[in-house]
Amino acid sequence: QVQLVESGGGLVQAGGSLRLSCAASGRTFSSYAMGWFRQAPGKEREFVAAISWSGGNTYYTDSVKGRFTISRDNAKNTVYLQMNSLKPEDTAVYYCAAGGSIITVVAGTTDYWGQGTQVTVSS
């Protein structure tokens, strides 16, 4: 069982940066692949980024490549999403997810989700 709590969202101007954090409970955090998803108003939830349990493999949706970076600190049971060069279209609620494999995380079929944190990018 893993519980996830996101933080770090807020309001930022276009071109700015934010860093999201996702703190996980449980002693087995280091065995989980982790990911970030987002859902904008009126749209379906979409995959943003994922990272393997070791941090050695990362995946990104095309629209954020080169701007967002996912990382993790297993000693702190925390996964991060550094978001640079933010655009108004990045506005969404961002969700953290944990799964037994990076495949399930990327597919969004994992059982563990956080409550979400709002990111708003003004133009």
Side-chain angles (χ1 to χ4, degrees):
Q1 189 80 11
V2 178
Q3 292 185 330
L4 307 171
V5 179
E6 302 97 333
S7 61
L11 173 64
V12 64
Q13 289 187 334
S17 298
L18 281 175
R19 188 176 81 156
L20 305 183
S21 299
C22 173
S25 64
R27 295 177 293 175
T28 59
F29 171 78
S30 60
S31 66
Y32 285 94
M34 301 294 297
W36 289 94
F37 287 72
R38 64 187 180 187
Q39 187 167 19
K43 295 187 177 181
E44 293 187 354
R45 185 172 61 193
E46 67 169 348
F47 167 76
V48 176
I51 188 167
S52 60
W53 66 270
S54 67
N57 294 297
T58 57
Y59 300 89
Y60 299 92
T61 191
D62 286 346
S63 62
V64 308
K65 285 180 181 177
R67 300 188 299 123
F68 290 11
T69 302
I70 188 171
S71 62
R72 67 189 295 161
D73 185 338
N74 288 342
K76 295 183 178 180
N77 281 13
T78 302
V79 63
Y80 304 98
L81 185 68
Q82 178 67 45
M83 305 186 294
N84 299 328
S85 302
L86 282 160
K87 305 175 181 180
E89 51 264 43
D90 294 319
T91 295
V93 177
Y94 282 71
Y95 297 91
C96 177
S101 72
I102 200 163
I103 294 174
T104 59
V105 171
V106 173
T109 57
T110 180
D111 291 332
Y112 303 116
W113 297 87
Q115 83 290 347
T117 185
Q118 176 71 46
V119 171
T120 303
V121 184
S122 64
S123 58

